[in-house]
Amino acid sequence: MTRFCFIVNSVDDRRFDWFMQGHRDAFGADAPPVVRVPDAKSMCEGHNRGVAMAPACDWLVFCHDDIRILSPEPLRLLREAAGRVDMFGAAGTRRMVSGNWYDAGRPHTLGQVVARAPGVPLSYELQIFGAQSGSLQEGAVALDGIFIACRRALFDALGGFDAETYRGFVGYDMDFTYRAARSGARVGVHEALVLLHDSTVADFPAAKVAAWEAAQRSFLDAFGPFDAGGAGERGHRTVPLTAPTDALHHLN
C-alpha cells in the first residue's frame, strides 16, 4: 500500500495547529504522518531537512502550513494519482512561457484553489485555472508549491530542492517541478484535489514580490529563454463562495 508523508515548514505554532486540525479532519484515522520543520532557513533547506527526518514512505508531500484539503476521500485521490504519475499537485501548467507557471495562461494552466477574496474579510472565492475536469490531468511541466506530491525515489534522483540557488521562500517550486518534468518524470495536476489556501497573492508585501521576481530571474537564467508566443489567456475564472466547501459543488 502506498505510504505518504507530509513535509511542512512552519514557524507559527497557531498556524501549524490550524493546519494539523484540517489534516486530521480530511484524513481521519488514515492521516499520513506530518514532519514539521519549525526553523527553516529557506523553503528548500526546510523541505530537504524534513525529508531527512521523515519516516519510511513511498511518497513525500510538500505543502504550505496555510492550506486545508477540502476534497472528500483525499487519500483515495492521492493513491489514484500515485498510481499514474511520479509527481502531482493541485495547480500548475502544461507549458512554461516565463519563470511563473501562471503566465502560461489558459488552456495551458490546470487545477483550482479556494483562496481569500482580496479586500473582503472572511470571504472566499474559487479560483479556477483549468477545465474543472475533476480528474488527473497529465503532461504538466511545473506545479505550484502550495502542494507538491513526489515519489521519494524521484526526490532522491533530483537531488532534492536547490537550496544553494533558492535561499528564500519563493521560486523553489518552479525549479524543483520543472527539473522533474525535464528529467522525464510524469507530472500531473489532480483537478479533483481542492485546497483551501488561506492567503492571496494580493496580500504579498513588496519585499516578497521583489524576492519572487528575483527567483523568477534565477529560474530563467537556468532554463530560459522560453517562447512566450504560445501563451494562452492569462488569468483565471473566479466564483464567489459563501463557504470554502461550496467549491466542491462547482467540480465536474
Side-chain angles (χ1 to χ4, degrees), residues 6-248:
F6 281 62
I7 312 293
V8 183
N9 293 326
S10 182
V11 301
D12 186 315
D13 289 342
R14 185 170 56 85
R15 191 152 69 175
F16 183 71
D17 289 345
W18 179 85
F19 168 83
M20 286 302 301
Q21 183 60 58
H23 187 73
R24 290 188 291 267
D25 289 345
F27 290 100
D30 296 322
V34 175
V35 174
R36 178 191 184 187
V37 180
D39 56 350
K41 298 177 179 64
S42 69
M43 195 67 84
C44 291
E45 186 275 337
H47 280 342
N48 289 342
R49 185 151 44 102
V51 172
M53 297 188 292
C57 60
D58 312 296
W59 279 76
L60 303 160
V61 179
F62 304 99
C63 68
H64 291 190
D65 65 354
D66 58 354
I67 69 159
R68 283 186 171 182
I69 299 177
L70 301 178
S71 306
E73 300 183 276
L75 194 56
R76 178 184 60 80
L77 297 179
L78 267 58
R79 287 174 174 161
E80 176 188 344
R84 291 174 51 187
V85 296
D86 306 302
M87 176 184 284
F88 64 93
T93 182
R94 286 194 173 107
R95 185 184 183 97
M96 289 300 289
V97 301
S98 72
N100 181 358
W101 69 267
Y102 183 77
D103 289 341
R106 301 176 72 186
H108 307 301
T109 52
L110 302 163
Q112 66 274 308
V113 68
V114 176
R116 290 207 309 267
V120 186
L122 302 177
S123 183
Y124 295 88
E125 62 185 22
L126 175 62
Q127 299 174 351
I128 304 165
F129 313 116
Q132 295 180 277
S133 67
S135 61
L136 179 68
Q137 298 296 302
E138 300 186 42
V141 297
L143 304 174
D144 190 282
I146 58 171
F147 187 102
I148 300 170
C150 174
R151 292 188 190 275
R152 188 160 191 163
L154 176 57
F155 175 89
D156 293 338
L158 294 172
F161 288 87
D162 183 356
E164 289 300 314
T165 302
Y166 299 92
R167 301 189 178 192
F169 291 85
V170 289
Y172 65 96
D173 47 356
M174 294 299 92
D175 173 79
F176 182 64
T177 60
Y178 189 65
R179 282 193 290 121
R182 280 169 56 97
S183 76
R186 298 166 297 170
V187 181
V189 170
H190 206 318
E191 292 197 325
L193 184 61
V194 182
L195 306 180
L196 165 62
H197 188 203
D198 194 33
S199 178
T200 178
V201 174
D203 291 341
F204 283 4
K208 185 168 183 177
V209 173
W212 198 9
E213 292 172 345
Q216 290 181 40
R217 289 193 293 271
S218 294
F219 180 85
L220 290 174
D221 287 344
F223 302 110
F226 294 99
D227 178 11
E233 181 181 356
R234 191 179 190 276
H236 58 270
R237 291 198 296 123
T238 300
V239 178
L241 301 173
T242 302
T245 51
D246 289 345
L248 302 176

